[in-house]
Protein backbone atom coordinates (compact mmCIF):
# COMPACT_ATOMS: atom_id res chain seq x y z
CA UNK A 1 0.00 0.00 0.00
CA UNK A 2 1.15 3.55 -0.80
CA UNK A 3 2.50 5.42 2.25
CA UNK A 4 -0.31 7.69 3.36
CA UNK A 5 0.18 11.33 4.19
CA UNK A 6 -2.72 13.31 5.65
CA UNK A 7 -5.86 13.09 3.56
CA UNK A 8 -6.93 16.36 1.94
CA UNK A 9 -10.09 17.70 3.54
CA UNK A 10 -12.54 17.99 0.66
CA UNK A 11 -15.97 19.57 0.30
CA UNK A 12 -18.36 18.56 -2.46
CA UNK A 13 -20.78 21.21 -3.71
CA UNK A 14 -24.01 20.01 -5.33
CA UNK A 15 -27.32 21.39 -6.56
CA UNK A 16 -29.19 18.24 -7.56
CA UNK A 17 -29.04 14.49 -7.98
CA UNK A 18 -25.46 14.09 -6.75
CA UNK A 19 -24.40 10.96 -8.63
CA UNK A 20 -20.87 12.32 -9.07
CA UNK A 21 -20.82 13.11 -5.36
CA UNK A 22 -21.67 9.45 -4.73
CA UNK A 23 -18.81 8.31 -6.97
CA UNK A 24 -16.36 10.56 -5.10
CA UNK A 25 -17.67 9.51 -1.69
CA UNK A 26 -17.42 5.82 -2.62
CA UNK A 27 -13.82 6.25 -3.75
CA UNK A 28 -12.96 8.20 -0.61
CA UNK A 29 -14.05 5.23 1.51
CA UNK A 30 -10.98 3.26 0.44
CA UNK A 31 -8.16 3.33 2.96
CA UNK A 32 -5.41 4.75 0.74
CA UNK A 33 -7.52 7.39 -1.05
CA UNK A 34 -5.84 10.77 -0.53
CA UNK A 35 -9.01 12.82 0.02
CA UNK A 36 -11.57 12.75 2.81
CA UNK A 37 -15.07 14.12 2.17
CA UNK A 38 -15.66 16.33 5.20
CA UNK A 39 -18.69 18.26 3.97
CA UNK A 40 -21.39 18.22 1.30
CA UNK A 41 -22.97 21.61 0.64
CA UNK A 42 -26.04 22.23 -1.47
CA UNK A 43 -27.39 25.62 -2.51
CA UNK A 44 -30.79 23.96 -2.97
CA UNK A 45 -32.66 22.58 0.06
CA UNK A 46 -34.45 20.05 -2.17
CA UNK A 47 -31.34 18.58 -3.83
CA UNK A 48 -31.85 14.81 -3.99
CA UNK A 49 -28.16 14.22 -3.34
CA UNK A 50 -28.51 15.59 0.20
CA UNK A 51 -30.65 12.61 1.24
CA UNK A 52 -28.08 10.15 -0.03
CA UNK A 53 -25.24 12.06 1.66
CA UNK A 54 -27.06 12.09 5.01
CA UNK A 55 -28.04 8.43 4.74
CA UNK A 56 -24.39 7.60 4.09
CA UNK A 57 -23.04 9.45 7.08
CA UNK A 58 -21.63 12.53 5.34
CA UNK A 59 -21.88 15.94 6.98
CA UNK A 60 -24.30 18.07 4.97
CA UNK A 61 -25.21 21.72 4.90
CA UNK A 62 -27.74 23.73 2.92
CA UNK A 63 -26.73 27.26 2.02
CA UNK A 64 -29.70 28.49 0.06
CA UNK A 65 -28.63 31.14 -2.43
CA UNK A 66 -32.18 32.53 -2.39
CA UNK A 67 -31.77 33.40 1.29
CA UNK A 68 -28.87 35.73 0.45
CA UNK A 69 -29.27 39.19 -1.03
CA UNK A 70 -26.29 38.98 -3.38
CA UNK A 71 -23.77 36.57 -4.83
CA UNK A 72 -20.97 37.87 -2.55
CA UNK A 73 -23.26 37.43 0.49
CA UNK A 74 -24.01 33.83 -0.55
CA UNK A 75 -20.31 33.15 -1.10
CA UNK A 76 -19.49 34.72 2.27
CA UNK A 77 -21.68 32.12 3.96
CA UNK A 78 -20.13 29.41 1.80
CA UNK A 79 -16.62 30.51 2.70
CA UNK A 80 -17.48 30.60 6.40
CA UNK A 81 -18.74 27.00 6.26
CA UNK A 82 -15.68 25.88 4.30
CA UNK A 83 -13.35 27.56 6.79
CA UNK A 84 -15.21 26.08 9.77
CA UNK A 85 -14.76 22.59 8.30
CA UNK A 86 -11.09 23.35 7.48
CA UNK A 87 -11.68 22.47 3.83
CA UNK A 88 -8.59 22.28 1.61
CA UNK A 89 -10.13 21.20 -1.68
CA UNK A 90 -13.52 21.78 -3.34
CA UNK A 91 -15.07 19.40 -5.86
CA UNK A 92 -18.03 20.87 -7.74
CA UNK A 93 -20.46 18.11 -8.71
CA UNK A 94 -23.44 19.50 -10.57
CA UNK A 95 -23.25 22.78 -8.64
CA UNK A 96 -25.38 25.20 -10.64
CA UNK A 97 -24.24 28.59 -9.34
CA UNK A 98 -21.77 30.88 -11.06
CA UNK A 99 -19.00 32.05 -8.71
CA UNK A 100 -17.51 35.52 -8.46
CA UNK A 101 -13.91 36.03 -9.63
CA UNK A 102 -12.92 36.74 -5.99
CA UNK A 103 -14.19 33.35 -4.80
CA UNK A 104 -12.68 31.51 -7.75
CA UNK A 105 -9.30 33.21 -7.25
CA UNK A 106 -9.35 32.40 -3.53
CA UNK A 107 -9.70 28.71 -4.43
CA UNK A 108 -7.35 28.83 -7.42
CA UNK A 109 -5.89 25.36 -8.12
CA UNK A 110 -7.87 24.01 -5.14
CA UNK A 111 -11.31 23.83 -6.77
CA UNK A 112 -12.20 21.31 -9.48
CA UNK A 113 -15.29 20.74 -11.61
CA UNK A 114 -16.72 18.06 -13.86
CA UNK A 115 -18.35 18.98 -17.15
CA UNK A 116 -20.21 16.59 -19.46
CA UNK A 117 -18.32 17.36 -22.68
CA UNK A 118 -14.84 17.17 -24.07
CA UNK A 119 -13.81 20.75 -23.28
CA UNK A 120 -13.16 23.18 -24.84
CA UNK A 121 -16.09 21.95 -26.97
CA UNK A 122 -19.65 22.46 -25.73
CA UNK A 123 -19.19 24.68 -22.69
CA UNK A 124 -22.35 25.59 -20.82
CA UNK A 125 -25.70 23.85 -20.69
CA UNK A 126 -27.45 21.31 -22.97
CA UNK A 127 -24.13 19.78 -24.00
CA UNK A 128 -25.57 16.49 -25.24
CA UNK A 129 -28.25 18.12 -27.39
CA UNK A 130 -25.59 20.34 -28.94
CA UNK A 131 -23.16 17.46 -29.47
CA UNK A 132 -25.86 15.52 -31.32
CA UNK A 133 -26.82 18.62 -33.30
CA UNK A 134 -23.18 19.11 -34.32
CA UNK A 135 -22.95 15.46 -35.39
CA UNK A 136 -19.78 14.63 -33.44
CA UNK A 137 -18.78 10.96 -33.32
CA UNK A 138 -17.09 11.14 -29.95
CA UNK A 139 -18.44 12.79 -26.82
CA UNK A 140 -17.15 12.65 -23.29
CA UNK A 141 -16.44 14.47 -20.08
CA UNK A 142 -13.78 16.65 -18.52
CA UNK A 143 -12.49 17.33 -15.01
CA UNK A 144 -10.73 20.68 -14.76
CA UNK A 145 -9.48 23.25 -12.30
CA UNK A 146 -11.97 26.11 -12.03
CA UNK A 147 -11.17 29.51 -13.52
CA UNK A 148 -13.31 32.64 -13.65
CA UNK A 149 -14.65 31.98 -17.15
CA UNK A 150 -17.31 29.22 -16.97
CA UNK A 151 -16.14 25.74 -18.01
CA UNK A 152 -12.57 26.79 -18.62
CA UNK A 153 -9.44 25.96 -16.67
CA UNK A 154 -6.53 23.53 -16.77
CA UNK A 155 -7.73 20.05 -17.72
CA UNK A 156 -6.95 17.23 -15.30
CA UNK A 157 -8.72 14.28 -16.94
CA UNK A 158 -10.99 13.49 -19.85
CA UNK A 159 -12.80 10.38 -21.01
CA UNK A 160 -14.39 9.78 -24.38
CA UNK A 161 -17.42 7.73 -25.33
CA UNK A 162 -18.82 6.97 -28.79
CA UNK A 163 -21.89 8.73 -30.12
CA UNK A 164 -24.19 6.13 -31.65
CA UNK A 165 -26.56 6.68 -34.57
CA UNK A 166 -29.50 5.77 -32.35
CA UNK A 167 -28.55 8.22 -29.58
CA UNK A 168 -30.90 10.72 -28.03
CA UNK A 169 -29.67 13.34 -25.57
CA UNK A 170 -30.85 11.00 -22.80
CA UNK A 171 -28.95 7.90 -23.94
CA UNK A 172 -25.82 9.91 -24.68
CA UNK A 173 -26.02 11.62 -21.28
CA UNK A 174 -26.25 8.23 -19.57
CA UNK A 175 -23.16 6.93 -21.40
CA UNK A 176 -21.20 10.11 -20.58
CA UNK A 177 -22.35 9.97 -16.94
CA UNK A 178 -20.85 6.49 -16.55
CA UNK A 179 -17.55 7.90 -17.78
CA UNK A 180 -17.90 10.83 -15.36
CA UNK A 181 -18.22 8.44 -12.46
CA UNK A 182 -15.00 6.72 -13.55
CA UNK A 183 -12.81 9.77 -14.08
CA UNK A 184 -13.90 12.12 -11.30
CA UNK A 185 -12.55 9.92 -8.49
CA UNK A 186 -9.30 9.48 -10.42
CA UNK A 187 -8.97 13.23 -10.98
CA UNK A 188 -9.62 14.05 -7.33
CA UNK A 189 -7.10 11.38 -6.34
CA UNK A 190 -4.48 12.97 -8.61
CA UNK A 191 -5.09 16.46 -7.23
CA UNK A 192 -5.32 15.45 -3.58
CA UNK A 193 -2.13 13.40 -3.77
CA UNK A 194 -0.25 16.18 -5.54
CA UNK A 195 0.25 14.07 -8.66
CA UNK A 196 -1.64 16.60 -10.81
CA UNK A 197 -0.40 20.14 -10.61
CA UNK A 198 -0.82 23.28 -12.68
CA UNK A 199 2.11 24.56 -14.66
CA UNK A 200 0.91 27.76 -16.30
CA UNK A 201 -2.55 26.87 -17.52
CA UNK A 202 -1.78 23.21 -18.19
CA UNK A 203 -1.82 20.26 -15.82
CA UNK A 204 1.25 18.09 -15.38
CA UNK A 205 0.59 14.54 -14.20
CA UNK A 206 3.67 13.20 -12.46
CA UNK A 207 2.77 9.51 -12.27
CA UNK A 208 0.96 7.09 -14.58
CA UNK A 209 -2.56 6.19 -13.53
CA UNK A 210 -4.92 3.35 -14.41
CA UNK A 211 -5.21 2.99 -18.16
CA UNK A 212 -8.89 3.35 -18.99
CA UNK A 213 -8.34 2.25 -22.58
CA UNK A 214 -8.55 4.10 -25.88
CA UNK A 215 -11.56 4.77 -28.06
CA UNK A 216 -12.30 4.70 -31.74
CA UNK A 217 -15.62 5.86 -33.15
CA UNK A 218 -17.92 5.43 -35.18
CA UNK A 219 -19.48 2.66 -33.23
CA UNK A 220 -22.74 1.19 -34.52
C1 LIG B 1 -23.13 15.99 -14.44
O1 LIG B 1 -23.40 15.63 -15.77
C2 LIG B 1 -21.96 16.94 -14.37
O2 LIG B 1 -21.01 16.72 -15.36
C3 LIG B 1 -22.61 18.29 -14.58
O3 LIG B 1 -23.84 18.20 -13.92
C4 LIG B 1 -24.25 16.84 -13.85
C5 LIG B 1 -24.46 16.55 -12.39
O4 LIG B 1 -24.97 15.26 -12.19
N1 LIG B 1 -21.75 19.36 -14.11
P1 LIG B 1 -24.94 14.65 -10.73
O5 LIG B 1 -25.68 15.63 -9.84
O6 LIG B 1 -23.52 14.47 -10.31
O7 LIG B 1 -25.68 13.35 -10.84
Amino acid sequence: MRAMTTKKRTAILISGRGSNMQALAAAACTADYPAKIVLVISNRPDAAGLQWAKANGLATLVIDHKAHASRPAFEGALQQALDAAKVELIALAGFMRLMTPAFVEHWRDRMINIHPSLLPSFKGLHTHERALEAGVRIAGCTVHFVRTETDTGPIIAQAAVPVLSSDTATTLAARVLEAEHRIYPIALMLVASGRARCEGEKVIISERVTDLGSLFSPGV
Side-chain angles (χ1 to χ4, degrees):
M1 197 199 294
R2 176 182 293 274
M4 194 68 219
T5 48
T6 328
K7 290 177 184 250
K8 282 270 188 274
R9 298 178 63 81
T10 303
I12 304 177
L13 271 53
I14 64 168
S15 298
R17 168 179 68 178
S19 69
N20 279 290
M21 169 201 70
Q22 292 185 29
L24 295 179
C29 282
T30 57
D32 58 353
Y33 197 77
K36 177 181 162 69
I37 311 306
V38 294
L39 187 57
V40 171
I41 302 178
S42 173
N43 65 306
R44 298 186 55 119
D46 59 349
L50 281 173
Q51 303 315 317
W52 185 92
K54 277 184 207 153
N56 286 273
L58 295 172
T60 61
L61 193 62
V62 173
I63 302 179
D64 188 346
H65 63 277
K66 290 190 187 141
H68 294 85
S70 65
R71 207 175 285 278
F74 166 69
E75 289 176 355
L78 199 55
Q79 187 61 52
Q80 224 171 31
L82 295 166
D83 288 343
K86 299 188 169 50
V87 168
E88 299 168 286
L89 281 177
I90 298 177
L92 305 179
F95 184 67
M96 302 302 284
R97 297 300 296 166
L98 296 177
M99 314 265 201
T100 63
F103 188 87
V104 172
E105 276 313 306
H106 179 78
W107 287 96
R108 190 183 181 84
D109 299 347
R110 300 183 297 149
M111 178 159 62
I112 64 178
N113 179 47
I114 187 153
H115 183 75
S117 77
L118 292 171
L119 291 173
S121 293
F122 307 118
K123 296 172 182 170
L125 298 173
H126 309 299
T127 51
H128 306 301
E129 285 85 347
R130 287 188 289 133
L132 289 176
E133 179 63 32
V136 297
R137 290 281 181 202
I138 293 182
C141 51
T142 303
V143 182
H144 62 97
F145 287 105
V146 177
R147 293 292 186 260
T148 47
E149 201 186 317
T150 309
D151 299 329
T152 63
I155 291 172
I156 304 158
Q158 291 184 305
V161 302
V163 178
L164 308 184
S165 313
S166 57
D167 267 335
T168 61
T170 307
T171 58
L172 180 57
R175 193 174 310 118
V176 171
L177 192 65
E178 265 181 46
E180 293 184 42
H181 297 163
R182 285 206 306 275
I183 66 164
Y184 210 179
I186 293 173
L188 177 59
M189 177 272 286
L190 288 170
V191 172
S193 65
R195 284 192 275 166
R197 62 183 170 75
C198 286
E199 209 172 277
E201 285 303 281
K202 289 201 182 126
V203 172
I204 308 294
I205 309 283
S206 61
E207 209 178 295
R208 191 181 162 79
V209 288
T210 326
D211 191 348
L212 291 175
S214 56
L215 173 76
F216 173 77
S217 184
V220 191

